[in-house]
Amino acid sequence: MSQHDPSSPTASQHQFNPYSNTNSYADSTSTPLPEGQTTPFLSPPDLPFLNNDPQSLASTPRGSAAYADSFGQNASNANLNAGSAIGNDNDTPLMGGKEYVDDSSQGLGIIARDPTKNKPLYKRPVFWLASSAALVAIILAVILPVYFVVIKPNQNLTASGGGKTNAVTGGDGSTITKDDGSTFVYRNQFGGFWVSDPENPFLDNAQPNSWTPPLNTSWRWGVDRVNGVNLGGLFVLEPFISPALYQPFNGSAMDEWTLSTLLGDQLQSTLEEHYQTFITEEDIAQIAGAGLNWIRLPVPFWAIETWSNVGTDATTGATVSEPFLEKVCWKYILRVLGWARKYGLRVNLDLHSVPGSQNGYNHSGKGGKPNFLNGVMGVANAQRTLDYIRTFAQFISQPEYEHVVPMFGIVNEALVQVIGQDQITAFYLHAHNMIRDITGIGEGKGPYIAIHDGFIGISKWAGFLPGSDRMVLDTHPYFAFDGQPNDEPIDIPAVGGDGTTLGGQWPRQACSAWGNSVNGSRSNFGVTVAGEFSNAFNDCGLFINGVANGPRSKADCDVFTDPSKWTDNIKAGVKEFALASMDALGDWFFWTWKIGNSTAGIVQSPLWSYQLGLENGWMPTDPREAIGKCASLGVQGNPFAGTFESWQTGGAGAGTIAPSVSSQFGTFPPTTIANVPAASITLLPTYTSTGGIQTLPPPTFSPAPTKSINVGNGWANIADTASFVTPISACAYPNAWSAVDAPVPTACGGSAATAR
């Protein structure tokens, strides 16, 4: 909703200036459609334990909320078509990060005729100069494109101290050779270019499009806009994203915990095949070619480790072991980070699953009740979570990754209505201080720290931790889970439109429900992004509400689960809804890039696939099409002024949290925990900080660079030497994933123990 104001502060002061002097992404009012009605904050999808439903595993893949809070360029598209060599200077932006101009179209200039000479033309020196120049021009026009497009991208030059490099780069039409030797053609009509250098695999010069800064230049919040997509279901499996993995088990596999158990000795081969094939380098190239500039990458804690003993099963007395595939996905996470670097895409690394489950949804690893900061093992699970946050933060804060991963989501979708806002705030403050002890304070020192709104509405986070250093509020607005029938048509003229655009009520509703709320948060919290949204205006789709539950919507789900049945008008209406959502949200990550086929051989949740929408015409081929969409529907609202407070972006005042806030929330563990009687708080089991530090290994390269390079050791700040937590040997812990109502054990440390 922010508008460009020529009188507002300069870009260096975080001016909100999307691309050009146009209406910004989010111009809306706070009243959603139908007109005259107020939409209250809507809770996340029903969790069985909140309703005393015995089906404790019936979870929802994308717990979220639709709400209306009280807050209420056209860049040059010239392409870089040819491959070219680049310098081996990781601190210098290739081409200066500017939009590209094809200088070859300007010719070689004009040679003026000397009027004082009357010699025959062929006897004049100027004739031969002009002829030579013309010949040179012809040679340049013919030979250079062949050299740079065909020869240079495939030529290996020996790196040396003299400045030679193995680096190659290419834009639209260049050929990419993948690790397996196969090739594809890179398509990017937006001036983006890839960069690859086997001798310096940490080169950060690439740029996904002309309006996005190259990786090695600063991102300017309020000026540069996040047009991103999630890689959901890649490393944290979800039934609706990869249904064919779950369908063979006929409803018994409901989350990654049960799937891992049922796969048994086929677990590693099955998941490695998924990691290898679900998202490939060509997907990442397509993301850049689609005009997108960020990836949100969900990752699980078991990329670091699992525990073989997380307590005793209350029914059988057996030791409970976490069944997840430990550590294996990490090398594939590194591969994705390498591809993102190659194509100039920034990454928001999101810790999607934490010990005990932070929300009880299947995408937390295990459906059921959350045991993170909830119940008897709530503090102990939070201790482990802090250790894993620390490990990820240490890795991505290394110089080799600081440009590629400038944002870190520390806990995805914590269920704050159960955990409590004060309790999660104490956790976030503790995590903030821990991360900034690693990275230091201020712009360029480690990633922005993203927290989710917890489904309580983003207005509830206004004034959060004033003086903190570079925090981001992440919100996930969906209409699919708002509990409404959502059967209103999308293939009819758009409300508020000119009669030619389609979408029914849905595009305007997105503008009205989300625009003012998100912009209000930018003014009252700071940097705010939509870490997830989709085209799902209903909940039609295979396993959208979990394996055990069908859709609640009254829409014709037979149509919306089979894209071959979509008419051109449905596609046009969905596209208008997508554009309006993008315009309203401003900085966004679509959920998700890809939905896998079901065993029926088709995508049965097509409203959630960006890639499928691009292929079939219901997603924009240029996200800038969204600019001004809400205004075109007659939705006007309160624009964001355009300037963040200095401390919110790592400037003056960052890291000086108000003493009153530190006093209120600075105690960790919190003094109260959900579902624990006050008399038992000091007796809650904890872990002891005597375990070994868990680090993440650096990548290996094949072929290995011929010169010595620093690949990092996974630990950015070697002064951070505190031990990790480990169980107290004398304690008989209850199952840490199912202990909300368990008896409090003895000899287990007590929650007064230090979390880190």
Side-chain angles (χ1 to χ4, degrees), residues 310-354:
V310 288
T312 302
D313 184 274
T315 302
T316 66
T319 297
V320 178
S321 176
E322 291 172 334
F324 308 114
L325 184 60
E326 179 186 52
K327 299 184 178 182
V328 173
C329 68
W330 177 244
K331 67 180 179 182
Y332 297 100
I333 293 171
L334 288 174
R335 185 173 71 161
V336 171
L337 296 182
W339 290 337
R341 186 194 310 274
K342 180 174 180 177
Y343 294 97
L345 297 166
R346 289 168 170 83
V347 176
N348 171 7
L349 192 75
D350 187 78
L351 183 54
H352 226 63
S353 307
V354 306

Coordinates of all heavy atoms in Angstrom, one line a residue, residues 310-354:
V310 N 14.3 -39.8 23.5 CA 13.7 -38.6 23.9 C 12.6 -38.8 25.0 O 11.7 -38.1 25.1 CB 13.0 -37.9 22.7 CG1 14.1 -37.3 21.8 CG2 12.1 -38.8 21.9
G311 N 12.8 -39.9 25.7 CA 11.9 -40.2 26.8 C 11.2 -41.6 26.6 O 11.5 -42.3 25.7
T312 N 10.3 -41.8 27.5 CA 9.6 -43.1 27.6 C 8.2 -43.0 27.2 O 7.5 -42.1 27.6 CB 9.7 -43.6 29.1 OG1 11.1 -43.7 29.5 CG2 9.0 -45.0 29.2
D313 N 7.7 -43.9 26.4 CA 6.3 -44.0 26.0 C 5.5 -44.3 27.2 O 5.7 -45.3 27.9 CB 6.2 -45.0 24.9 CG 4.8 -45.0 24.3 OD1 3.9 -45.7 24.9 OD2 4.5 -44.4 23.3
A314 N 4.5 -43.5 27.4 CA 3.6 -43.6 28.6 C 2.8 -44.9 28.6 O 2.4 -45.4 29.6 CB 2.7 -42.4 28.7
T315 N 2.5 -45.4 27.4 CA 1.7 -46.6 27.3 C 2.5 -47.9 27.3 O 2.2 -48.8 28.1 CB 0.9 -46.6 26.0 OG1 0.1 -45.4 25.9 CG2 0.0 -47.8 25.9
T316 N 3.6 -47.9 26.5 CA 4.4 -49.2 26.4 C 5.6 -49.2 27.3 O 6.1 -50.3 27.6 CB 4.8 -49.4 25.0 OG1 5.8 -48.3 24.7 CG2 3.7 -49.3 24.0
G317 N 6.0 -48.1 27.8 CA 7.2 -48.0 28.6 C 8.5 -48.1 27.8 O 9.6 -48.1 28.3
A318 N 8.4 -48.2 26.4 CA 9.5 -48.3 25.6 C 10.2 -46.9 25.4 O 9.6 -45.9 25.5 CB 9.1 -48.8 24.2
T319 N 11.5 -47.0 25.1 CA 12.3 -45.7 24.8 C 11.8 -45.2 23.5 O 11.8 -46.0 22.5 CB 13.8 -46.0 24.8 OG1 14.1 -46.4 26.2 CG2 14.6 -44.8 24.4
V320 N 11.6 -43.9 23.4 CA 11.1 -43.3 22.2 C 12.4 -42.7 21.4 O 13.1 -42.0 22.0 CB 10.1 -42.2 22.4 CG1 9.7 -41.5 21.1 CG2 8.9 -42.8 23.1
S321 N 12.5 -43.1 20.2 CA 13.6 -42.6 19.4 C 13.0 -41.8 18.2 O 12.0 -42.2 17.6 CB 14.4 -43.7 18.8 OG 15.4 -43.3 17.9
E322 N 13.6 -40.6 17.9 CA 13.2 -39.8 16.8 C 13.5 -40.5 15.5 O 14.7 -40.8 15.2 CB 13.8 -38.4 16.8 CG 13.3 -37.6 18.0 CD 14.0 -36.3 18.2 OE1 15.2 -36.2 17.8 OE2 13.5 -35.4 18.8
P323 N 12.5 -40.8 14.7 CA 12.7 -41.7 13.5 C 13.2 -41.0 12.2 O 13.4 -41.6 11.2 CB 11.3 -42.3 13.2 CG 10.4 -41.1 13.6 CD 11.1 -40.5 14.8
F324 N 13.4 -39.6 12.3 CA 13.7 -38.8 11.1 C 15.1 -39.2 10.6 O 16.0 -39.7 11.3 CB 13.7 -37.4 11.5 CG 12.4 -36.9 12.1 CD1 12.5 -36.4 13.4 CD2 11.2 -36.9 11.4 CE1 11.3 -36.0 14.0 CE2 10.1 -36.4 12.0 CZ 10.1 -36.0 13.4
L325 N 15.3 -39.0 9.3 CA 16.5 -39.3 8.6 C 17.5 -38.2 9.0 O 17.5 -37.1 8.5 CB 16.4 -39.4 7.1 CG 17.6 -39.7 6.3 CD1 18.1 -41.1 6.7 CD2 17.3 -39.7 4.8
E326 N 18.5 -38.6 9.9 CA 19.4 -37.7 10.5 C 20.5 -37.2 9.6 O 21.1 -38.0 8.9 CB 20.0 -38.3 11.7 CG 21.0 -37.5 12.5 CD 21.7 -38.3 13.6 OE1 22.2 -39.4 13.3 OE2 21.7 -37.8 14.8
K327 N 20.7 -35.9 9.4 CA 21.8 -35.2 8.8 C 21.8 -35.3 7.3 O 22.5 -34.5 6.6 CB 23.1 -35.8 9.4 CG 23.3 -35.5 10.8 CD 24.7 -36.0 11.3 CE 24.9 -35.7 12.8 NZ 26.2 -36.1 13.3
V328 N 21.2 -36.3 6.7 CA 21.4 -36.6 5.3 C 20.9 -35.4 4.4 O 21.6 -35.1 3.4 CB 20.6 -37.9 4.9 CG1 20.6 -38.1 3.3 CG2 21.2 -39.1 5.6
C329 N 19.9 -34.7 4.8 CA 19.4 -33.6 3.9 C 20.3 -32.4 3.9 O 20.2 -31.6 3.0 CB 18.0 -33.2 4.4 SG 17.9 -32.3 6.0
W330 N 21.3 -32.4 4.8 CA 22.1 -31.2 4.8 C 22.9 -31.0 3.6 O 23.0 -29.8 3.1 CB 23.1 -31.2 6.1 CG 24.0 -30.0 6.1 CD1 25.3 -30.0 6.0 CD2 23.6 -28.6 6.2 NE1 25.8 -28.8 6.0 CE2 24.8 -27.9 6.2 CE3 22.4 -28.0 6.4 CZ2 24.8 -26.5 6.3 CZ3 22.4 -26.6 6.5 CH2 23.6 -25.9 6.4
K331 N 23.5 -32.0 3.0 CA 24.3 -31.8 1.8 C 23.4 -31.3 0.6 O 23.9 -30.6 -0.3 CB 25.0 -33.1 1.4 CG 24.1 -34.3 1.0 CD 25.0 -35.5 0.7 CE 24.1 -36.7 0.3 NZ 24.9 -37.9 0.0
Y332 N 22.1 -31.7 0.7 CA 21.2 -31.2 -0.4 C 20.8 -29.8 -0.1 O 20.5 -29.0 -1.0 CB 20.0 -32.2 -0.5 CG 20.4 -33.6 -0.9 CD1 20.5 -34.6 0.1 CD2 20.7 -33.9 -2.2 CE1 20.9 -35.9 -0.3 CE2 21.0 -35.1 -2.6 CZ 21.1 -36.1 -1.6 OH 21.5 -37.4 -2.0
I333 N 20.7 -29.4 1.2 CA 20.4 -28.0 1.5 C 21.6 -27.1 1.0 O 21.3 -26.1 0.4 CB 20.2 -27.8 3.0 CG1 19.0 -28.5 3.5 CG2 20.2 -26.4 3.4 CD1 18.8 -28.6 5.0
L334 N 22.8 -27.6 1.2 CA 24.0 -26.9 0.7 C 23.9 -26.8 -0.8 O 24.3 -25.8 -1.4 CB 25.3 -27.6 1.1 CG 25.6 -27.5 2.6 CD1 26.9 -28.3 2.9 CD2 25.9 -26.0 3.0
R335 N 23.4 -27.8 -1.5 CA 23.3 -27.8 -2.9 C 22.4 -26.7 -3.4 O 22.6 -25.9 -4.3 CB 22.9 -29.1 -3.5 CG 22.9 -29.2 -5.0 CD 22.6 -30.6 -5.5 NE 21.2 -31.1 -5.2 CZ 20.7 -32.1 -5.8 NH1 21.3 -32.8 -6.7 NH2 19.4 -32.4 -5.5
V336 N 21.2 -26.6 -2.7 CA 20.3 -25.5 -3.0 C 20.9 -24.1 -2.8 O 20.7 -23.2 -3.6 CB 19.0 -25.7 -2.2 CG1 18.0 -24.5 -2.4 CG2 18.2 -27.0 -2.7
L337 N 21.6 -24.0 -1.7 CA 22.2 -22.7 -1.4 C 23.2 -22.4 -2.5 O 23.4 -21.2 -2.9 CB 22.9 -22.7 0.0 CG 22.0 -22.9 1.2 CD1 22.8 -22.8 2.5 CD2 20.9 -21.8 1.2
G338 N 23.9 -23.4 -3.0 CA 24.9 -23.1 -4.1 C 24.2 -22.7 -5.4 O 24.6 -21.8 -6.1
W339 N 23.1 -23.3 -5.7 CA 22.3 -22.9 -6.9 C 21.7 -21.5 -6.7 O 21.7 -20.8 -7.7 CB 21.2 -23.9 -7.1 CG 21.6 -25.3 -7.6 CD1 22.8 -25.6 -8.2 CD2 20.9 -26.5 -7.4 NE1 22.8 -27.0 -8.5 CE2 21.6 -27.5 -8.0 CE3 19.6 -26.9 -6.8 CZ2 21.2 -28.9 -8.1 CZ3 19.2 -28.2 -6.9 CH2 20.0 -29.2 -7.5
A340 N 21.2 -21.2 -5.5 CA 20.7 -19.9 -5.3 C 21.8 -18.9 -5.5 O 21.6 -17.8 -6.1 CB 20.2 -19.8 -3.8
R341 N 23.0 -19.1 -5.0 CA 24.1 -18.2 -5.3 C 24.4 -18.1 -6.8 O 24.6 -17.0 -7.3 CB 25.4 -18.8 -4.6 CG 26.6 -17.9 -4.6 CD 27.9 -18.6 -4.2 NE 27.7 -19.4 -3.0 CZ 28.0 -18.9 -1.8 NH1 28.3 -17.6 -1.7 NH2 27.8 -19.6 -0.7
K342 N 24.4 -19.2 -7.5 CA 24.7 -19.2 -8.9 C 23.7 -18.3 -9.7 O 24.1 -17.6 -10.6 CB 24.6 -20.6 -9.5 CG 24.9 -20.7 -10.9 CD 25.0 -22.2 -11.4 CE 25.3 -22.4 -12.8 NZ 25.4 -23.8 -13.2
Y343 N 22.4 -18.3 -9.3 CA 21.4 -17.5 -10.0 C 21.0 -16.2 -9.4 O 20.1 -15.5 -9.8 CB 20.2 -18.4 -10.3 CG 20.5 -19.6 -11.2 CD1 20.8 -20.8 -10.7 CD2 20.6 -19.4 -12.6 CE1 21.2 -21.9 -11.5 CE2 21.0 -20.4 -13.4 CZ 21.3 -21.7 -12.8 OH 21.6 -22.7 -13.7
G344 N 21.7 -15.8 -8.3 CA 21.5 -14.5 -7.7 C 20.3 -14.4 -6.8 O 19.8 -13.3 -6.5
L345 N 19.8 -15.5 -6.3 CA 18.6 -15.5 -5.4 C 19.0 -15.5 -4.0 O 19.8 -16.3 -3.5 CB 17.8 -16.8 -5.7 CG 17.2 -16.9 -7.1 CD1 16.7 -18.3 -7.4 CD2 16.1 -15.9 -7.4
R346 N 18.4 -14.6 -3.2 CA 18.6 -14.6 -1.8 C 17.7 -15.6 -1.1 O 16.6 -16.0 -1.6 CB 18.3 -13.2 -1.2 CG 19.4 -12.2 -1.6 CD 18.9 -10.8 -1.3 NE 20.0 -9.8 -1.5 CZ 20.4 -9.3 -2.6 NH1 19.8 -9.6 -3.8 NH2 21.5 -8.5 -2.7
V347 N 18.2 -16.1 0.1 CA 17.5 -17.2 0.7 C 17.0 -16.8 2.1 O 17.8 -16.2 2.9 CB 18.4 -18.5 0.8 CG1 17.7 -19.6 1.6 CG2 18.7 -19.0 -0.6
N348 N 15.8 -17.0 2.4 CA 15.3 -16.9 3.8 C 15.2 -18.4 4.3 O 14.4 -19.2 4.0 CB 13.9 -16.3 3.7 CG 13.1 -16.4 5.1 OD1 13.7 -16.8 6.1 ND2 11.9 -16.0 5.1
L349 N 16.2 -18.7 5.1 CA 16.3 -20.1 5.7 C 15.3 -20.1 6.9 O 15.4 -19.4 7.8 CB 17.7 -20.3 6.2 CG 18.0 -21.8 6.5 CD1 18.2 -22.6 5.3 CD2 19.3 -21.9 7.4
D350 N 14.4 -21.1 6.8 CA 13.3 -21.1 7.8 C 13.4 -22.4 8.6 O 13.2 -23.5 8.0 CB 12.0 -21.0 7.1 CG 10.9 -20.8 8.1 OD1 10.7 -19.7 8.7 OD2 10.1 -21.8 8.4
L351 N 13.6 -22.4 9.9 CA 13.5 -23.6 10.7 C 12.1 -24.0 10.9 O 11.3 -23.4 11.7 CB 14.2 -23.3 12.1 CG 14.3 -24.5 13.0 CD1 15.0 -25.7 12.4 CD2 15.0 -24.1 14.3
H352 N 11.7 -25.0 10.1 CA 10.3 -25.3 10.0 C 9.8 -26.3 11.0 O 8.6 -26.5 11.2 CB 10.0 -25.9 8.6 CG 8.9 -25.3 7.9 ND1 8.7 -24.0 7.5 CD2 7.7 -25.9 7.4 CE1 7.6 -23.8 6.9 NE2 7.0 -25.0 6.8
S353 N 10.7 -27.1 11.6 CA 10.4 -28.2 12.5 C 11.3 -28.1 13.7 O 12.5 -28.0 13.5 CB 10.5 -29.5 11.8 OG 9.8 -29.6 10.6
V354 N 10.8 -28.1 14.9 CA 11.6 -28.1 16.1 C 11.2 -29.2 17.0 O 10.1 -29.8 16.9 CB 11.5 -26.7 16.8 CG1 11.7 -25.5 15.9 CG2 10.1 -26.5 17.5

